[in-house]
Amino acid sequence: MQRLSKLLGGPHLWIKRDDCTGLSTGGNKTRKLEFIMADALKEGADSVVTAGATQSNHTRQTAAAAARLDLSCHLLLWNMNRSAERAYCQNGNPLLNQLHGAVIHELDGAGATSEIAYLNTEINQFSDRLRETGRRPYPVPVGASNAIGALGYVVCALELLDQAKESGFKIDAIVLKSGSAGTHAGLIAGLRAVNAPTSVVGIGGGKSPVNLEEVVFQIARQTASLLGIPDAVKRSDVVAADPVPGGYGLLTNEVAEVIGLLARAEGILLDPVYTGRAMVGLIQLIRQGKFGREGNVVFLHTGGTASLFGYADSFEHIFRHSGAC
């Protein structure tokens, strides 16, 4: 990303385009689902069940993978910010979920104190109810974030190292949005499997950095165990930066500005929930001097472009009041 690197005064910024992985506009869940869905087929599943927010990228990719494999797909969707905007509730990912033939179930979420724990409980309970009717459901955790799903990012870590070598540079750090933690964990496990010193920095969401690091560490250790190297990942390998302010699913002025910056400077589209916030976090780290001006930092683009269309009303409101067109 030469123009962005110049605008920020360094370091050398690169981008890993996992928004181009295919499977219904792409995203990081495609890599995870390669392993998750293989396990579902091995278990003889006839359906999959998963959950997420209304504009979840994960549910959209799961629905696409299920369609490809001729599995029924049940999506438990939670309007976490109680939005009544038509674009948010019907456009973007919700529209694609329907096109892929998923069965949609609305969740209320009242009283939930932990979003991921609540959604995973709902997934398991709904799967139990399907089993009672004679179906063979496979519960896919939120974000496909478990040790099996994280194997997709073990592969990605090795792919990144190979691509950097071919391009003639050494990766000093990888920066990504860390939410349900599986992508972050898989990258660490993959890098440590080959003793690569590259650091991975996760930009958090609602969790404190310490709490997020603990979740990532546990999944990374479980993933390393699947690789036969259970002690390869150390607690010190896991680094999370301060979360970017703003509630889940809410488009802030700062994130909207950064989405516009990348669109104009590099022709790259970010999303309001994950990659837009991750880029805000990366820019903050650069301004804090976290990376040397001559370092090589890879930004992992985890997808989410489809959700942009669900935020048309929010973008219009922000740009109208900022004077932008």
Side-chain angles (χ1 to χ4, degrees):
M1 294 189 286
Q2 294 180 0
R3 287 200 67 207
L4 183 62
S5 301
K6 185 176 180 180
L7 285 170
L8 296 174
H12 301 293
L13 296 174
W14 303 75
I15 185 166
K16 177 62 171 167
R17 297 295 304 271
D18 271 15
D19 57 322
C20 300
T21 54
L23 199 61
S24 188
T25 79
N28 64 321
K29 310 308 179 188
T30 298
R31 289 186 185 270
K32 297 179 178 184
L33 288 164
E34 181 177 2
F35 290 86
I36 291 278
M37 300 303 266
D39 194 52
L41 294 178
K42 185 181 76 172
E43 295 294 323
D46 61 9
S47 53
V48 294
V49 180
T50 197
T54 300
Q55 282 290 341
S56 166
N57 301 307
H58 161 66
T59 60
R60 177 247 309 159
Q61 288 168 88
T62 303
R68 181 78 177 268
L69 297 172
D70 194 24
L71 298 173
S72 298
C73 180
H74 293 269
L75 302 180
L76 315 181
L77 299 183
W78 180 17
N79 189 340
M80 294 170 64
N81 56 17
R82 305 290 179 182
S83 174
E85 293 179 356
R86 184 176 182 276
Y88 183 83
C89 296
Q90 298 181 25
N91 207 343
N93 285 311
L95 171 61
L96 298 183
N97 289 336
Q98 293 183 51
L99 288 175
H100 293 310
V103 182
I104 310 300
H105 309 268
E106 299 291 337
L107 296 176
D108 179 75
T113 56
S114 170
E115 291 91 347
I116 292 178
Y118 164 70
L119 291 172
N120 280 331
T121 297
E122 291 292 325
I123 290 168
N124 290 328
Q125 290 180 349
F126 190 91
S127 297
D128 288 340
R129 292 196 291 273
L130 284 181
R131 290 188 189 97
E132 291 172 357
T133 68
R135 301 300 300 273
R136 301 186 305 279
Y138 185 95
V140 179
V142 173
S145 286
N146 59 14
I148 295 174
L151 289 172
Y153 274 88
V154 171
V155 175
C156 181
L158 304 180
E159 183 178 296
L160 271 167
L161 294 173
D162 286 343
Q163 290 176 328
K165 184 177 180 180
E166 290 172 5
S167 297
F169 75 98
K170 172 180 168 290
I171 304 173
D172 296 301
I174 301 168
V175 176
L176 75 156
K177 180 68 172 67
S178 190
S180 55
T183 301
H184 191 170
L187 284 174
I188 293 172
L191 292 168
R192 296 305 173 261
V194 294
N195 295 315
T198 307
S199 65
V200 182
V201 182
I203 307 299
K207 300 184 184 72
S208 71
V210 173
N211 290 343
L212 175 58
E213 287 174 357
E214 190 58 36
V215 175
V216 173
F217 178 58
Q218 293 303 323
I219 298 177
R221 290 267 294 178
Q222 293 162 10
T223 306
S225 292
L226 289 181
L227 299 174
I229 48 172
D231 299 321
V233 177
K234 310 300 181 188
R235 179 63 178 79
S236 57
D237 293 328
V238 184
V239 178
D242 291 334
V244 174
Y248 182 90
L250 298 177
L251 177 63
T252 66
N253 289 12
E254 186 177 27
V255 173
E257 289 170 4
V258 165
I259 290 173
L261 171 65
L262 264 289
R264 293 188 297 272
E266 296 286 354
I268 291 171
L269 298 175
L270 305 177
D271 83 297
V273 182
Y274 296 103
T275 51
R277 290 175 180 267
M279 183 56 70
V280 169
L282 171 57
I283 292 172
Q284 289 175 349
L285 291 173
I286 291 171
R287 289 173 175 164
Q288 293 165 8
K290 174 73 174 178
F291 311 108
R293 291 188 63 180
E294 297 304 316
N296 289 292
V297 178
V298 174
F299 178 78
L300 179 65
H301 192 322
T302 53
T305 302
S307 68
L308 278 171
F309 302 99
Y311 286 82
D313 296 337
S314 297
F315 275 109
E316 181 183 8
H317 175 78
I318 290 171
F319 290 154
R320 184 171 64 244
H321 285 81
S322 68
C325 61

